[in-house]
Amino acid sequence: MATLLLLAGCLSPDAAPAPPTLDEFLHASWVDYAGEDLAGLGELTATFGATLDPAEFPLQGDYSDLTDEEFALVEVEWDADPADAAGFYLVDTLDCSAPELADALTQPDQRLVFPDNYTDYNREFIDDLDSFLAGESDIVRWDTTYSVDIPIAGAYTTFVHGGAYRISVDGEEGFATRTWAPNKANSDEEATKLDQDYQIEVYFPGDGGMIHTYGMWRQFQINPDTTQDSEIIRALILDGMKGYFDDTSTYCASLRTE
């Protein structure tokens, strides 16, 4: 983000830096989040958001690996190689207002948001949640241990660091979240492995709700021949990401009837 701003200062008044691509946006968001650059992340998001056409949603697919420099922005406690984690993205609109989305993102028991995903979920907040929800703080962080049971492949349990930022996107409220696993997941089946998991998500207002840009780098397999690089796992991960979008919209809608 700093490089983009520096280049902007060197341009003539009738010129502007080229808007970031989706791939660039996800990488830059990861870097800005790590640096707690809320203002830079908001500016980056506004520039990127202007390039999107919701009529083309959902956008989904693969994107480039986490670099060594980006990997070094988080502390992983084993000898992981970020090149072994494949990148996946999904962009679509959530049927949520900003306050509803804040509730969904910070819900202590995410099984209420994603009822079909977790067999166990325990989130412990590092920062004061009430201050974040009241707008008195723009940062809230948490640690989570959760378990997932995948049909045929078996169950796994993992621990992740997570958090959310409130950002300003063209004067409107948006959010960014990040999670990452410092260690490999523990699995019931020897062949099923979730070794690396890094996620960056950015949300900002759009027509019909909040636009959700979701990026993930994951090293995952259900057997040695069916890994994150296979079409089966690619489809499984992207389908799971789409399910998160649907569940979040459903949860937001449920808040309007309470």
Side-chain angles (χ1 to χ4, degrees):
M1 184 60 195
T3 302
L4 286 175
L5 294 176
L6 180 62
L7 289 174
C10 300
L11 296 173
S12 64
D14 59 347
T21 66
L22 176 56
D23 193 301
E24 291 169 334
F25 174 70
L26 291 167
H27 283 271
S29 297
W30 176 266
V31 172
D32 282 354
Y33 192 106
E36 296 189 3
D37 185 1
L38 279 66
L41 187 49
E43 294 169 6
L44 178 72
T45 301
T47 301
F48 171 69
T51 70
L52 294 176
D53 180 1
E56 299 176 352
F57 293 171
L59 304 173
Q60 65 179 32
D62 311 321
Y63 70 110
S64 61
D65 293 346
L66 200 66
T67 67
D68 289 339
E69 293 77 14
E70 292 161 348
F71 170 71
L73 296 174
V74 294
E75 294 183 7
V76 175
E77 298 173 8
W78 64 283
D79 188 22
D81 183 351
D84 291 333
F88 305 91
Y89 72 81
L90 182 63
V91 183
D92 206 348
T93 302
L94 301 176
D95 180 17
C96 297
S97 67
E100 291 166 350
L101 182 58
D103 185 306
L105 297 177
T106 62
Q107 167 59 243
D109 187 354
Q110 289 284 293
R111 289 174 296 184
L112 299 177
V113 185
F114 308 109
D116 299 322
N117 288 88
Y118 304 108
T119 56
D120 193 29
Y121 193 96
N122 181 36
R123 175 182 286 187
E124 297 184 1
F125 286 91
I126 298 170
D127 303 303
D128 186 69
L129 175 58
D130 290 339
S131 294
F132 180 81
L133 293 175
E136 299 166 0
S137 170
D138 291 330
I139 297 176
V140 62
R141 295 165 296 166
W142 56 78
D143 289 336
T144 299
T145 300
Y146 69 85
S147 299
V148 173
D149 192 356
I150 304 173
I152 303 175
Y156 67 82
T157 298
T158 191
F159 171 84
V160 296
H161 298 294
Y165 293 166
R166 179 181 290 103
I167 59 175
S168 177
V169 183
D170 280 337
E172 297 190 80
E173 187 174 48
F175 302 95
T177 65
R178 180 189 69 172
T179 62
W180 54 277
N183 287 294
K184 301 178 182 181
N186 295 317
S187 175
D188 290 349
E189 300 291 335
E190 183 177 353
T192 299
K193 297 180 180 181
L194 175 58
D195 287 349
Q196 297 188 76
D197 191 15
Y198 316 97
Q199 302 186 31
I200 184 73
E201 302 174 64
V202 182
Y203 309 79
F204 53 97
D207 292 340
M210 300 289 289
I211 295 175
H212 180 191
T213 303
Y214 186 4
M216 172 192 298
W217 295 275
R218 178 166 279 188
Q219 182 182 0
F220 177 74
Q221 68 172 56
I222 57 175
N223 62 56
D225 297 320
T226 311
T227 73
Q228 68 281 339
D229 297 320
S230 69
E231 286 300 318
I232 293 175
I233 296 302
R234 179 181 185 276
L236 179 66
I237 289 176
L238 289 173
D239 185 63
M241 294 169 77
K242 181 62 168 64
Y244 290 163
F245 283 57
D246 294 341
D247 285 346
T248 303
S249 291
T250 298
Y251 179 83
C252 288
S254 74
L255 299 176
R256 300 166 208 157
T257 61
E258 295 181 355

